[in-house]
Amino acid sequence: MKDLKSLNRVLLKLSGEALAGEKKTGFDEATVLKVAEQVKKIVDDGMQVAIVIGGGNFWRGRTSENMERTKADQIGMLATVMNCIYVSDMFRYVGMKTKIYTPFTCGAFTELFSKDDAVKNLEEGVVTFFAGGTGHPYFSTDTATALRAIEIEADAILLAKAIDGVYDSDPKVNPDAVKYDEISLDEVLSKKLGVIDLTATIMCLENKMPLVIFGLEEENSIVNTMSGNFNGTYVTV
């Protein structure tokens, strides 16, 4: 397994549902502040951090059967913008500098994505949020995560999930499910483990982008992961 302490630039993918805490919708401020305080610690230690947040605490377009898919996905994109605006402000509250980029114009709320600008901000210690997905329907925030990580030449994608790693089956259904400490992207594909969606998996495989998967709800999970006290699954390329 790669020494995670040696990573310089990472893209952290946060689940929208995880940020809602037990409420399952909207925001749980205590949860978001815990995330902010952890990210501040690794940024203060010199880590360059970009962030993508899902929109599931507000909207899951694929579950809407009464809307045209494009419109449903557009609402999902706007949900991720709301999440990034809120979380970015919580990050500023604990003392970090932040910037939010979208692939489409959002008035004065965000800036239009530019790789050069994003990388410059990261190099200056600014936590950089990528909201709005890819800007197109039919692409998930998994795909947006892979795309932005590849564009900014991140060393790895950190996936902070409700589950603490990759299992051979769903541990909520199968109490005997076995967790992998390490697994390759080829195995993820061949075993159809669904760690991230198929498009994102293939993009990571083709561009040699490793994944670090861990449970967000574990105490100090982000700090522990980046300090080498890792309890999740490392997905190799």
Side-chain angles (χ1 to χ4, degrees):
M1 182 186 294
K2 184 179 179 66
D3 180 6
L4 300 182
K5 292 186 287 187
S6 69
L7 301 179
N8 177 58
R9 179 182 298 158
V10 296
L11 194 153
L12 173 63
K13 166 72 185 299
L14 296 170
S15 158
E17 293 99 320
L19 296 178
E22 295 181 357
K23 296 188 299 182
K24 306 299 183 185
T25 186
F27 303 113
D28 181 71
E29 188 165 298
T31 300
V32 177
L33 282 173
K34 284 181 181 178
V35 171
E37 288 162 356
Q38 289 189 72
V39 173
K40 186 176 189 303
K41 287 179 182 177
I42 64 174
V43 170
D44 287 347
D45 286 340
M47 183 73 66
Q48 297 178 21
V49 180
I51 292 180
V52 170
I53 308 175
N57 53 324
F58 285 113
W59 181 262
R60 298 195 70 84
R62 294 184 184 186
T63 63
S64 175
E65 299 177 357
N66 301 314
M67 289 186 70
E68 193 266 324
R69 172 66 184 271
T70 298
K71 299 303 180 186
D73 283 358
Q74 287 171 346
I75 294 173
M77 292 177 212
L78 293 176
T80 72
V81 175
M82 291 192 296
N83 280 346
C84 284
I85 290 172
Y86 178 83
V87 176
S88 167
D89 201 59
M90 290 297 100
F91 277 33
R92 292 186 178 205
Y93 175 77
V94 301
M96 286 179 280
K97 295 180 180 178
T98 65
K99 184 82 72 172
I100 305 172
Y101 291 99
T102 47
F104 44 76
T105 302
C106 283
F109 298 137
T110 67
E111 293 191 15
L112 200 60
F113 173 74
S114 158
K115 172 188 174 175
D116 291 343
D117 285 349
V119 169
K120 181 175 182 292
N121 277 295
L122 287 165
E123 291 173 343
E124 293 175 352
V126 178
V127 178
T128 305
F129 289 80
F130 300 129
T134 66
H136 299 283
Y138 297 93
F139 292 98
S140 71
T141 50
D142 282 348
T143 305
T145 297
L147 174 64
R148 295 296 182 233
I150 293 162
E151 285 184 297
I152 65 171
E153 301 174 63
D155 297 318
I157 293 171
L158 309 185
L159 292 176
K161 300 170 75 73
I163 189 170
D164 65 350
V166 179
Y167 287 77
D168 63 354
S169 57
D170 188 346
K172 293 179 181 178
V173 177
N174 177 16
D176 297 320
V178 177
K179 185 170 78 171
Y180 297 98
D181 293 327
E182 187 171 314
I183 189 172
S184 71
L185 277 166
D186 277 325
E187 289 178 282
V188 168
L189 279 172
S190 64
K191 295 178 179 180
K192 299 180 180 178
L193 295 177
V195 176
I196 51 178
D197 71 34
L198 183 60
T199 303
T201 303
I202 293 172
M203 288 178 67
C204 288
L205 185 62
E206 290 180 342
N207 292 277
K208 302 188 184 322
M209 180 62 63
L211 309 174
V212 180
I213 301 167
F214 58 95
L216 180 62
E217 294 179 0
E218 291 183 15
E219 191 71 23
N220 289 320
S221 59
I222 298 171
V223 171
N224 288 340
T225 294
M226 300 317 301
S227 64
N229 185 19
F230 180 50
N231 189 39
T233 302
Y234 185 69
V235 184
T236 67
V237 292

